[in-house]
Amino acid sequence: MFDEKEIAAYRGISAPRDLRDKVLSSCTAETTKRFDLRRMTRMVSSIAACLLLATVLTTYAFGSFDAPRVSVSDRVLNEQSSLTFTEQDHGIAVAMYREVPVTTVPLTFDGHATLRVSGGVMDVIEDGEILYSGTEYTTDGKTLVHWTVSGDETSQVLAMTVIGRFKTETIVLRFDDSNDCWIVSRETND
């Protein structure tokens, strides 16, 4: 297509010296970048908005998904703590005329959890009536549970497993013969 003479002639053409120097100097000189305040403000605002959103969502999630509040006869049962409980601590009648006496421990749960008992029966009470009776129940909100155990179970350690969204706890019920009372403990499962 092109002749060898034309290619050699084209390669022999050069730009004027001052034009060549201008082009080469513009390529080697660094242009200073301007500080753009608007761009920087938008970037910092975006990062702050993301951090604020993450903080709000985390606070909401842990606030509503935390372990439920537990109370025994209107006394709060904190994590890793114990309370004593006698029949005089609540207004529930104990049937003493039966062959085997029965004790009912009223527990109030406030939050979301699945409850399972290893001994006895739990009755979920709503508006003074039994809503559910059995060994496993899922609560959501404020729930009154009567944990009923018979007198022949006083030698056993009874457990209620409380399965929350993020952790599992155990409420342990054991009878103290020396003080003639029940001890209710809340323990975190690891």
Side-chain angles (χ1 to χ4, degrees):
M1 176 174 220
F2 291 107
D3 190 13
E4 289 293 323
K5 290 182 192 178
E6 291 175 355
I7 294 173
Y10 180 75
R11 287 187 182 161
I13 299 174
S14 64
R17 188 99 172 123
D18 54 338
L19 178 62
R20 183 174 183 207
D21 290 342
K22 270 186 177 180
V23 170
L24 289 176
S25 69
S26 71
C27 291
T28 59
E30 277 189 40
T31 58
T32 59
K33 291 187 178 181
R34 280 185 0 162
F35 179 74
D36 190 4
L37 183 61
R38 285 179 289 153
R39 185 170 183 241
M40 182 63 77
T41 304
R42 274 185 295 195
M43 184 172 60
V44 168
S45 298
S46 298
I47 291 171
C50 289
L51 288 174
L52 179 66
L53 180 64
T55 303
V56 167
L57 290 176
T58 303
T59 303
Y60 174 74
F62 284 112
S64 62
F65 300 137
D66 198 16
R69 289 178 37 113
V70 180
S71 59
V72 179
S73 293
D74 297 328
R75 293 180 295 162
V76 176
L77 182 62
N78 295 318
E79 294 179 17
Q80 305 296 333
S81 67
S82 297
L83 293 173
T84 58
F85 176 80
T86 62
E87 281 80 15
Q88 291 80 24
D89 288 336
H90 61 90
I92 300 169
V94 178
M96 298 304 265
Y97 58 87
R98 294 184 182 176
E99 291 178 15
V100 178
V102 173
T103 301
T104 301
V105 180
L107 298 165
T108 304
F109 293 89
D110 193 3
H112 179 81
T114 300
L115 310 173
R116 293 184 187 136
V117 292
S118 67
V121 175
M122 60 181 170
D123 296 325
V124 177
I125 309 298
E126 187 174 297
D127 296 327
E129 298 199 15
I130 296 176
L131 179 69
Y132 169 82
S133 184
T135 58
E136 184 172 336
Y137 186 76
T138 300
T139 70
D140 199 12
K142 195 164 189 170
T143 307
L144 175 61
V145 176
H146 288 172
W147 188 6
T148 305
V149 295
S150 63
D152 60 352
E153 294 177 306
T154 57
S155 61
Q156 301 174 16
V157 175
L158 306 169
M160 177 185 286
T161 305
V162 181
I163 303 168
R165 287 191 171 117
F166 290 116
K167 65 180 172 180
T168 301
E169 296 178 313
T170 303
I171 296 177
V172 177
L173 185 63
R174 64 178 67 87
F175 190 75
D176 183 5
D177 287 324
S178 62
N179 294 321
D180 196 34
C181 66
W182 289 92
I183 297 176
V184 185
S185 303
R186 184 174 179 183
E187 302 170 358
T188 303
N189 298 350
D190 294 328

